[in-house]
Structures are given as structure tokens and as C-alpha cells.
Amino acid sequence: QGRSGRVTRQAVDGISFQPPPGLEREEVMASFRVPARAGFKDERVEHPIRPNLVVHRRPAKPGRDLAGIVADVREQLVKSLLGMSPVESSDVTFADGAKGVLLAFSFPAPQGLLCTQLQALRLDGGTVTSLTVTTEASHLTPADRDAYVKALGSAKLRS
């Protein structure tokens, strides 16, 4: 809010707007996907699962550390993704030196497909950032996985 008590004009990805009084930005989400025009195909289905990246920044629960956040995420995954594989976990260091955790797992998708997700989590002050790549498992080559992990690790806070 500005000094006058009014909510200041907000901008998200090139569009600006005036939120109603009393509302303030709480979280931000952005999605990136292989464009349909790139001709990504999967002969098994009419609408293939195109590789995508979702970046989500949100407030952390007060007093929650990274280990607690990772535990919460794991719990949510188990509750929401029936048939999910065991979750592999490893440490990750982001481009700005911040420490985080990389989760990797697969889960069944419609039409007999299997999705794989790589989810990098970090905590900066009171803000949790999750960077999540999702792709269809049979299309995930070792080279692609390495490229995705590298992309997730490239995250850094603006100075």
C-alpha cells in the first residue's frame, strides 16, 4: 500500500493494473512450456504432455525452515498424486549460492502416460520458491534431465 492507504499499481509480466483496496500481492506464478508450434508429438495421445516449467513464489509459514517446507511438500504430493513413485531428494546449490533441495518423482497421468517431475525448492527470508519441471517420462533422456536440473539451479535472487 502507498502512503495514502491506497494499493499501489501492480505489474505482472507486462500488464499493470490497480488492485482493489485491501488486497496485496501474496504469491506469483509463471509457467513456461514447449510451444505447440514446435511440433512436439507423442503418437500415443492426441494432446501430448509438453515439457513445462512452473515457477511459484509464495510466503512461507511463519517459523518454517527449508527442511519443514520440504516435508510439507512431500506430504502434499503423497496426498494428491495416487501411484506416485518414491521421492528422490538431493541438495542443490543455486546460481546465487543459496542452498535448496531437489525432489524427483514420477506419477501416473491419463491415457496410461507417466509424468516425471523435478522440483527445486529454496527459502529466501520468508519466501518459498519452487521451480518445477514436468515432462512425460518416456521423453526424458539423461541429457534432458541434466539440462532441466541445470535450468532449475540457475535461479538467483535479483540484487
Side-chain angles (χ1 to χ4, degrees):
Q1 280 183 283
R3 285 184 289 250
S4 66
R6 279 188 2 170
V7 177
T8 57
R9 191 160 187 83
Q10 298 291 306
V12 176
D13 197 28
I15 188 165
S16 67
F17 54 94
Q18 181 68 47
L23 300 185
E24 57 186 53
R25 183 183 302 190
E26 183 173 281
E27 57 187 285
V28 177
M29 188 178 295
S31 299
F32 304 85
R33 186 180 311 261
V34 170
R37 70 179 177 278
F40 187 83
K41 298 213 181 296
D42 187 327
E43 302 305 322
R44 299 170 294 172
V45 293
E46 183 178 349
H47 301 288
I49 298 168
R50 293 180 282 147
N52 62 82
L53 166 67
V54 175
V55 179
H56 187 195
R57 290 184 45 86
R58 60 183 167 74
K61 291 179 184 174
R64 209 67 165 144
D65 64 2
L66 184 60
I69 290 164
V70 170
D72 292 344
V73 169
R74 284 174 169 269
E75 183 180 333
Q76 291 168 0
L77 290 169
V78 168
K79 287 180 179 177
S80 62
L81 296 175
L82 297 175
M84 183 181 76
S85 71
V87 179
E88 298 171 22
S89 180
S90 58
D91 294 334
V92 63
T93 300
F94 293 94
D96 59 3
K99 302 296 183 196
V101 175
L102 177 67
L103 304 177
F105 54 93
S106 296
F107 57 92
Q111 300 179 334
L113 301 179
L114 184 68
C115 284
T116 294
Q117 273 193 356
L118 304 170
Q119 186 173 152
L121 298 160
R122 62 183 282 162
L123 177 62
D124 300 293
T127 302
V128 177
T129 303
S130 65
L131 301 105
T132 306
V133 169
T134 305
T135 190
E136 205 283 322
S138 69
H139 294 285
L140 183 62
T141 67
D144 287 340
R145 188 184 196 288
D146 290 346
Y148 293 150
V149 170
K150 183 177 180 180
L152 296 174
S154 72
K156 60 183 177 178
L157 282 182
R158 258 191 287 191
S159 303

